[in-house]
Amino acid sequence: MKDIGEWGVKYIMNINFFEHRKTIAQNLISFIRMKGYSKLSLSKLTGISRPTIDQILKAESPSQTTYNSQIRKIITTFDLPEDYFITLTQNMPEQPPSLAYAYSDHGADLEKSAVAQEMLDGLDNILDIYSMYLK
């Protein structure tokens, strides 16, 4: 964790990200779109497993402690303010840059047919392979 002083450490420890899972999921999806990351590249940068990234993007996590530490890890990796993903909509520009893109089929509360899910999984695999060469 970066050195943010005694007050900063106390402040980050008091935020319960688990209570804001849906907001964080939506804002993290916006963040990866704006930055042009894939789920795989986000996983590699943060050291958080790809299935766990999927859980975060679905606003799911079995453990409050684990979820809070994962969000802190993302925040620390990108050197962001502690409340960044809770208040992201105020921090992000309205339109993403024209060259930035990200693909995500895992948002909060999304239901898909089996055929659509199979097709999206195939596209996801292609994008994962592509992202290894892109970033």
Coordinates of all heavy atoms in Angstrom, one line a residue, residues 60-127:
E60 N -20.8 -9.0 -6.7 CA -20.9 -10.2 -5.9 C -19.6 -10.5 -5.2 O -18.5 -10.2 -5.8 CB -21.2 -11.5 -6.7 CG -22.5 -11.4 -7.5 CD -22.7 -12.5 -8.5 OE1 -21.7 -13.3 -8.6 OE2 -23.8 -12.6 -9.0
S61 N -19.6 -11.0 -4.0 CA -18.5 -11.4 -3.3 C -18.9 -12.1 -2.0 O -19.8 -11.7 -1.3 CB -17.6 -10.2 -2.8 OG -16.4 -10.7 -2.2
P62 N -18.3 -13.3 -1.8 CA -18.7 -14.1 -0.6 C -18.2 -13.5 0.7 O -18.8 -13.8 1.8 CB -18.1 -15.5 -0.9 CG -16.9 -15.2 -1.7 CD -17.3 -14.0 -2.6
S63 N -17.2 -12.7 0.7 CA -16.6 -12.2 1.9 C -16.4 -10.7 1.9 O -15.8 -10.1 1.0 CB -15.2 -12.8 2.1 OG -14.5 -12.2 3.1
Q64 N -16.9 -10.0 2.9 CA -16.8 -8.6 3.0 C -15.3 -8.2 3.2 O -14.9 -7.2 2.5 CB -17.6 -8.1 4.3 CG -17.5 -6.6 4.5 CD -18.3 -6.1 5.6 OE1 -19.4 -6.7 5.9 NE2 -17.9 -5.1 6.3
T65 N -14.6 -8.9 4.0 CA -13.2 -8.6 4.2 C -12.4 -8.7 2.9 O -11.6 -7.8 2.6 CB -12.6 -9.5 5.3 OG1 -13.4 -9.4 6.5 CG2 -11.1 -9.1 5.6
T66 N -12.6 -9.8 2.2 CA -11.9 -10.0 0.9 C -12.2 -9.0 -0.1 O -11.4 -8.4 -0.8 CB -12.2 -11.4 0.4 OG1 -11.8 -12.4 1.4 CG2 -11.5 -11.7 -0.9
Y67 N -13.5 -8.7 -0.2 CA -14.0 -7.7 -1.2 C -13.3 -6.3 -0.9 O -12.8 -5.7 -1.8 CB -15.5 -7.5 -1.1 CG -16.1 -6.6 -2.1 CD1 -16.3 -6.9 -3.4 CD2 -16.3 -5.2 -1.8 CE1 -16.8 -6.0 -4.4 CE2 -16.8 -4.3 -2.7 CZ -17.0 -4.7 -4.0 OH -17.5 -3.8 -4.9
N68 N -13.4 -5.9 0.4 CA -12.8 -4.6 0.8 C -11.3 -4.6 0.4 O -10.8 -3.6 -0.1 CB -13.0 -4.3 2.2 CG -14.4 -3.9 2.5 OD1 -15.1 -3.4 1.7 ND2 -14.8 -4.2 3.8
S69 N -10.5 -5.7 0.6 CA -9.1 -5.7 0.3 C -8.9 -5.7 -1.2 O -7.9 -5.1 -1.7 CB -8.4 -6.9 1.0 OG -8.8 -8.1 0.4
Q70 N -9.8 -6.3 -2.0 CA -9.6 -6.3 -3.4 C -9.8 -4.9 -4.0 O -9.1 -4.5 -4.9 CB -10.6 -7.3 -4.0 CG -10.3 -8.7 -3.7 CD -11.5 -9.6 -3.9 OE1 -12.7 -9.2 -4.0 NE2 -11.2 -10.9 -4.0
I71 N -10.8 -4.2 -3.5 CA -11.1 -2.8 -4.0 C -9.9 -1.9 -3.6 O -9.5 -1.1 -4.4 CB -12.4 -2.3 -3.5 CG1 -13.6 -3.2 -4.0 CG2 -12.6 -0.8 -3.9 CD1 -13.7 -3.3 -5.5
R72 N -9.4 -2.1 -2.4 CA -8.2 -1.3 -1.9 C -7.0 -1.6 -2.9 O -6.3 -0.7 -3.2 CB -7.9 -1.6 -0.5 CG -8.8 -1.0 0.5 CD -8.3 -1.1 1.9 NE -9.3 -0.7 2.8 CZ -10.2 -1.5 3.4 NH1 -10.1 -2.8 3.3 NH2 -11.1 -1.0 4.2
K73 N -6.9 -2.8 -3.3 CA -5.8 -3.2 -4.2 C -5.9 -2.5 -5.5 O -4.9 -2.0 -6.1 CB -5.8 -4.7 -4.3 CG -4.5 -5.3 -4.9 CD -4.6 -6.8 -4.9 CE -3.2 -7.4 -4.8 NZ -3.2 -8.8 -4.7
I74 N -7.1 -2.4 -6.0 CA -7.4 -1.8 -7.3 C -7.1 -0.3 -7.2 O -6.4 0.3 -8.0 CB -8.8 -2.0 -7.8 CG1 -9.0 -3.5 -8.2 CG2 -9.1 -1.1 -9.0 CD1 -10.5 -3.8 -8.4
I75 N -7.6 0.3 -6.1 CA -7.3 1.7 -5.8 C -5.8 2.0 -5.7 O -5.3 3.0 -6.2 CB -8.1 2.2 -4.5 CG1 -9.6 2.2 -4.9 CG2 -7.6 3.5 -4.0 CD1 -10.5 2.4 -3.7
T76 N -5.1 1.2 -5.0 CA -3.7 1.4 -4.8 C -2.9 1.2 -6.1 O -2.0 2.0 -6.4 CB -3.2 0.4 -3.7 OG1 -3.9 0.6 -2.5 CG2 -1.7 0.6 -3.4
T77 N -3.3 0.2 -6.9 CA -2.6 0.0 -8.1 C -2.7 1.2 -9.0 O -1.7 1.5 -9.7 CB -3.3 -1.2 -8.9 OG1 -3.1 -2.4 -8.0 CG2 -2.6 -1.5 -10.2
F78 N -3.8 1.9 -9.1 CA -4.0 3.0 -10.0 C -3.8 4.4 -9.3 O -4.0 5.4 -9.9 CB -5.3 2.9 -10.7 CG -5.5 1.8 -11.6 CD1 -6.2 0.6 -11.2 CD2 -4.8 1.7 -12.8 CE1 -6.3 -0.5 -12.0 CE2 -4.9 0.6 -13.6 CZ -5.7 -0.5 -13.2
D79 N -3.4 4.3 -8.0 CA -3.1 5.5 -7.2 C -4.3 6.4 -7.2 O -4.2 7.6 -7.5 CB -1.8 6.2 -7.7 CG -1.3 7.2 -6.8 OD1 -1.5 7.0 -5.5 OD2 -0.6 8.2 -7.2
L80 N -5.5 5.9 -6.9 CA -6.7 6.6 -6.9 C -7.1 7.0 -5.5 O -6.7 6.4 -4.5 CB -7.8 5.8 -7.5 CG -7.6 5.3 -8.9 CD1 -8.6 4.3 -9.3 CD2 -7.6 6.5 -9.9
P81 N -7.9 8.1 -5.3 CA -8.5 8.4 -4.0 C -9.3 7.2 -3.5 O -9.9 6.5 -4.2 CB -9.4 9.6 -4.3 CG -9.0 10.2 -5.6 CD -8.4 9.0 -6.4
E82 N -9.4 7.1 -2.1 CA -10.1 6.0 -1.5 C -11.5 5.9 -2.0 O -12.1 4.8 -2.1 CB -10.0 6.1 0.0 CG -8.6 6.0 0.6 CD -7.8 7.3 0.5 OE1 -8.5 8.4 0.5 OE2 -6.6 7.2 0.5
D83 N -12.2 7.0 -2.2 CA -13.7 6.9 -2.5 C -13.9 7.0 -4.0 O -15.0 7.3 -4.4 CB -14.4 8.0 -1.8 CG -13.9 9.4 -2.2 OD1 -12.9 9.6 -2.8 OD2 -14.6 10.4 -1.8
Y84 N -12.9 6.8 -4.8 CA -13.0 7.0 -6.2 C -14.1 6.2 -6.9 O -14.9 6.8 -7.7 CB -11.6 6.6 -6.9 CG -11.6 6.9 -8.4 CD1 -11.3 8.2 -8.8 CD2 -11.8 6.0 -9.3 CE1 -11.2 8.5 -10.1 CE2 -11.8 6.3 -10.7 CZ -11.5 7.6 -11.1 OH -11.4 7.9 -12.4
F85 N -14.3 5.0 -6.6 CA -15.3 4.2 -7.2 C -16.7 4.3 -6.6 O -17.7 3.9 -7.2 CB -14.9 2.7 -7.2 CG -13.7 2.4 -8.1 CD1 -12.5 2.0 -7.6 CD2 -13.8 2.6 -9.5 CE1 -11.4 1.8 -8.4 CE2 -12.7 2.3 -10.4 CZ -11.5 2.0 -9.8
I86 N -16.7 5.1 -5.5 CA -18.0 5.4 -4.9 C -18.5 6.7 -5.5 O -19.7 6.9 -5.7 CB -17.9 5.5 -3.4 CG1 -17.5 4.1 -2.8 CG2 -19.2 6.0 -2.8 CD1 -17.1 4.1 -1.4
T87 N -17.6 7.6 -5.9 CA -18.0 8.9 -6.5 C -17.5 9.1 -7.9 O -17.4 10.2 -8.3 CB -17.4 10.0 -5.6 OG1 -16.0 9.9 -5.5 CG2 -18.0 9.9 -4.2
L88 N -17.2 8.0 -8.6 CA -16.6 8.1 -9.9 C -17.4 8.9 -10.9 O -16.8 9.6 -11.7 CB -16.4 6.7 -10.5 CG -15.8 6.5 -11.9 CD1 -14.3 7.0 -11.9 CD2 -15.8 5.1 -12.3
T89 N -18.7 8.8 -10.9 CA -19.5 9.5 -11.9 C -19.2 11.0 -11.9 O -19.3 11.7 -12.9 CB -21.0 9.3 -11.7 OG1 -21.3 9.6 -10.3 CG2 -21.4 7.8 -12.0
Q90 N -18.8 11.6 -10.7 CA -18.5 13.0 -10.7 C -17.1 13.2 -11.2 O -16.8 14.3 -11.7 CB -18.5 13.5 -9.2 CG -19.9 13.3 -8.6 CD -19.8 13.6 -7.1 OE1 -18.8 14.0 -6.6 NE2 -20.9 13.3 -6.4
N91 N -16.2 12.2 -11.2 CA -14.8 12.4 -11.6 C -14.6 12.1 -13.1 O -13.6 12.5 -13.7 CB -13.9 11.5 -10.8 CG -14.0 11.7 -9.4 OD1 -14.2 12.9 -8.9 ND2 -13.7 10.7 -8.6
M92 N -15.5 11.4 -13.8 CA -15.2 11.0 -15.1 C -15.9 11.9 -16.1 O -17.0 12.4 -15.9 CB -15.8 9.6 -15.4 CG -15.2 8.5 -14.5 SD -13.5 8.2 -14.9 CE -13.7 7.1 -16.3
P93 N -15.3 12.1 -17.3 CA -15.9 13.0 -18.3 C -17.1 12.2 -18.9 O -17.2 11.0 -18.8 CB -14.8 13.1 -19.4 CG -13.8 12.1 -19.1 CD -13.9 11.7 -17.7
E94 N -18.0 13.0 -19.5 CA -19.2 12.5 -20.1 C -19.0 11.4 -21.2 O -19.6 10.4 -21.2 CB -20.1 13.6 -20.6 CG -20.6 14.6 -19.6 CD -21.8 14.0 -18.8 OE1 -22.6 13.2 -19.3 OE2 -21.8 14.2 -17.6
Q95 N -18.1 11.8 -22.1 CA -17.8 10.9 -23.2 C -16.5 10.2 -23.1 O -15.5 10.9 -22.8 CB -17.9 11.7 -24.5 CG -19.2 12.2 -24.9 CD -20.2 11.1 -25.2 OE1 -19.9 10.1 -25.8 NE2 -21.5 11.3 -24.9
P96 N -16.3 9.0 -23.4 CA -15.0 8.3 -23.3 C -14.2 8.8 -24.5 O -14.7 9.2 -25.5 CB -15.3 6.8 -23.4 CG -16.6 6.8 -24.1 CD -17.4 8.0 -23.7
P97 N -12.8 8.7 -24.4 CA -12.0 9.0 -25.6 C -12.4 8.1 -26.8 O -12.8 7.0 -26.6 CB -10.6 8.7 -25.1 CG -10.7 8.5 -23.6 CD -12.1 8.3 -23.3
S98 N -12.2 8.7 -27.9 CA -12.7 7.9 -29.1 C -11.9 6.6 -29.4 O -12.5 5.7 -29.9 CB -12.6 8.8 -30.4 OG -11.2 9.2 -30.5
L99 N -10.7 6.5 -28.9 CA -9.9 5.3 -29.1 C -10.1 4.3 -28.0 O -9.6 3.1 -28.1 CB -8.5 5.6 -29.4 CG -8.2 6.5 -30.6 CD1 -6.7 6.8 -30.7 CD2 -8.7 5.8 -31.9
A100 N -10.6 4.7 -26.9 CA -10.7 3.7 -25.7 C -11.9 2.8 -25.9 O -13.0 3.3 -26.4 CB -10.8 4.5 -24.4
Y101 N -11.8 1.6 -25.6 CA -12.9 0.7 -25.6 C -12.6 -0.4 -24.5 O -11.5 -0.7 -24.1 CB -13.1 0.0 -26.9 CG -12.1 -1.1 -27.2 CD1 -12.5 -2.4 -26.9 CD2 -10.8 -0.9 -27.6 CE1 -11.6 -3.5 -27.1 CE2 -10.0 -2.0 -27.8 CZ -10.4 -3.2 -27.6 OH -9.5 -4.3 -27.7
A102 N -13.7 -1.0 -24.1 CA -13.6 -2.2 -23.2 C -14.8 -3.0 -23.4 O -15.9 -2.5 -23.8 CB -13.4 -1.8 -21.8
Y103 N -14.7 -4.3 -23.3 CA -15.8 -5.2 -23.4 C -16.1 -5.8 -22.1 O -15.2 -6.2 -21.4 CB -15.4 -6.3 -24.4 CG -16.3 -7.5 -24.3 CD1 -17.5 -7.6 -24.9 CD2 -15.8 -8.7 -23.7 CE1 -18.3 -8.7 -24.8 CE2 -16.6 -9.8 -23.6 CZ -17.8 -9.8 -24.1 OH -18.6 -10.9 -24.0
S104 N -17.4 -5.8 -21.7 CA -17.8 -6.5 -20.5 C -19.2 -7.0 -20.6 O -20.1 -6.3 -21.0 CB -17.7 -5.5 -19.3 OG -18.2 -6.2 -18.1
D105 N -19.3 -8.3 -20.4 CA -20.6 -8.9 -20.4 C -21.0 -9.2 -19.0 O -22.0 -9.9 -18.8 CB -20.6 -10.2 -21.2 CG -19.6 -11.3 -20.7 OD1 -18.6 -10.9 -20.1 OD2 -19.9 -12.5 -20.8
H106 N -20.3 -8.7 -18.0 CA -20.6 -9.0 -16.6 C -20.9 -7.7 -15.9 O -20.0 -7.0 -15.4 CB -19.4 -9.6 -16.0 CG -19.0 -10.9 -16.6 ND1 -19.8 -12.1 -16.5 CD2 -17.9 -11.3 -17.4 CE1 -19.2 -13.0 -17.2 NE2 -18.1 -12.6 -17.7
G107 N -22.1 -7.3 -15.9 CA -22.5 -6.1 -15.2 C -23.5 -6.5 -14.1 O -23.9 -7.7 -14.0
A108 N -23.8 -5.7 -13.2 CA -24.7 -6.0 -12.1 C -26.1 -6.3 -12.7 O -26.6 -5.5 -13.5 CB -24.7 -4.9 -11.1
D109 N -26.7 -7.3 -12.2 CA -28.1 -7.7 -12.5 C -28.4 -7.9 -14.0 O -29.4 -7.5 -14.5 CB -29.0 -6.6 -12.0 CG -29.0 -6.4 -10.5 OD1 -28.7 -7.4 -9.8 OD2 -29.2 -5.3 -10.0
L110 N -27.5 -8.6 -14.7 CA -27.7 -8.8 -16.1 C -28.1 -10.3 -16.3 O -27.4 -11.2 -15.8 CB -26.5 -8.5 -17.0 CG -26.2 -7.0 -17.1 CD1 -24.9 -6.9 -17.9 CD2 -27.3 -6.2 -17.7
E111 N -29.1 -10.6 -17.0 CA -29.5 -12.0 -17.4 C -29.4 -12.2 -18.9 O -29.9 -11.4 -19.6 CB -30.9 -12.3 -16.9 CG -31.1 -12.2 -15.4 CD -30.4 -13.3 -14.6 OE1 -30.3 -14.4 -15.2 OE2 -29.9 -13.1 -13.5
K112 N -28.9 -13.3 -19.3 CA -28.7 -13.6 -20.7 C -29.2 -15.0 -21.0 O -29.1 -15.9 -20.2 CB -27.3 -13.4 -21.2 CG -26.7 -12.0 -21.0 CD -25.2 -12.0 -21.3 CE -24.6 -10.7 -20.9 NZ -24.7 -10.4 -19.5
S113 N -29.6 -15.2 -22.3 CA -30.0 -16.6 -22.7 C -28.7 -17.4 -22.8 O -27.6 -16.9 -22.9 CB -30.7 -16.5 -24.0 OG -29.8 -16.2 -25.1
A114 N -28.9 -18.7 -22.8 CA -27.7 -19.6 -22.9 C -27.0 -19.4 -24.2 O -25.7 -19.4 -24.2 CB -28.2 -21.1 -22.7
V115 N -27.7 -19.2 -25.3 CA -27.0 -19.0 -26.6 C -26.2 -17.7 -26.5 O -25.0 -17.6 -26.9 CB -28.0 -19.0 -27.7 CG1 -27.4 -18.6 -29.0 CG2 -28.7 -20.3 -27.8
A116 N -26.8 -16.6 -26.0 CA -26.1 -15.3 -25.9 C -24.9 -15.4 -25.0 O -23.9 -14.9 -25.3 CB -27.1 -14.2 -25.4
Q117 N -25.1 -16.1 -23.9 CA -23.9 -16.3 -23.0 C -22.8 -17.1 -23.6 O -21.6 -16.7 -23.5 CB -24.4 -17.0 -21.7 CG -23.3 -17.0 -20.6 CD -22.9 -15.6 -20.2 OE1 -23.7 -14.8 -19.8 NE2 -21.6 -15.3 -20.2
E118 N -23.1 -18.1 -24.4 CA -22.1 -18.9 -25.1 C -21.3 -18.0 -26.1 O -20.1 -18.1 -26.2 CB -22.7 -20.1 -25.7 CG -21.7 -21.0 -26.4 CD -22.4 -22.2 -27.1 OE1 -23.5 -22.5 -26.8 OE2 -21.7 -22.8 -27.9
M119 N -22.1 -17.2 -26.8 CA -21.5 -16.3 -27.8 C -20.6 -15.3 -27.1 O -19.5 -15.0 -27.6 CB -22.5 -15.7 -28.7 CG -23.2 -16.7 -29.6 SD -24.6 -16.1 -30.6 CE -24.4 -14.4 -30.9
L120 N -21.1 -14.7 -26.0 CA -20.3 -13.7 -25.3 C -19.0 -14.3 -24.7 O -18.0 -13.7 -24.7 CB -21.2 -13.1 -24.2 CG -22.2 -12.1 -24.7 CD1 -23.2 -11.7 -23.6 CD2 -21.6 -10.9 -25.4
D121 N -19.2 -15.6 -24.2 CA -18.0 -16.2 -23.7 C -16.9 -16.4 -24.7 O -15.7 -16.3 -24.5 CB -18.4 -17.6 -23.0 CG -19.1 -17.4 -21.7 OD1 -19.1 -16.3 -21.1 OD2 -19.8 -18.4 -21.3
G122 N -17.4 -16.8 -25.9 CA -16.4 -17.0 -27.0 C -15.7 -15.6 -27.4 O -14.5 -15.6 -27.6
L123 N -16.5 -14.6 -27.5 CA -15.9 -13.3 -27.7 C -15.0 -12.8 -26.6 O -13.9 -12.3 -26.9 CB -17.0 -12.2 -27.9 CG -17.9 -12.3 -29.1 CD1 -19.1 -11.3 -29.1 CD2 -17.0 -11.9 -30.3
D124 N -15.4 -13.1 -25.4 CA -14.5 -12.8 -24.2 C -13.2 -13.5 -24.3 O -12.1 -12.9 -24.1 CB -15.2 -13.2 -22.9 CG -14.8 -12.5 -21.7 OD1 -14.3 -11.4 -21.9 OD2 -14.9 -13.0 -20.6
N125 N -13.2 -14.8 -24.7 CA -11.9 -15.5 -24.9 C -11.0 -14.9 -26.0 O -9.8 -14.8 -25.9 CB -12.2 -17.0 -25.2 CG -12.8 -17.7 -24.1 OD1 -12.5 -17.4 -22.9 ND2 -13.5 -18.8 -24.3
I126 N -11.7 -14.5 -27.1 CA -10.9 -13.8 -28.2 C -10.3 -12.5 -27.7 O -9.1 -12.3 -27.9 CB -11.8 -13.6 -29.4 CG1 -12.2 -14.9 -30.1 CG2 -11.2 -12.6 -30.4 CD1 -13.3 -14.8 -31.1
L127 N -11.1 -11.7 -26.9 CA -10.6 -10.5 -26.4 C -9.5 -10.7 -25.4 O -8.5 -9.9 -25.3 CB -11.7 -9.6 -25.8 CG -12.6 -9.0 -26.9 CD1 -13.9 -8.4 -26.2 CD2 -11.9 -8.0 -27.7

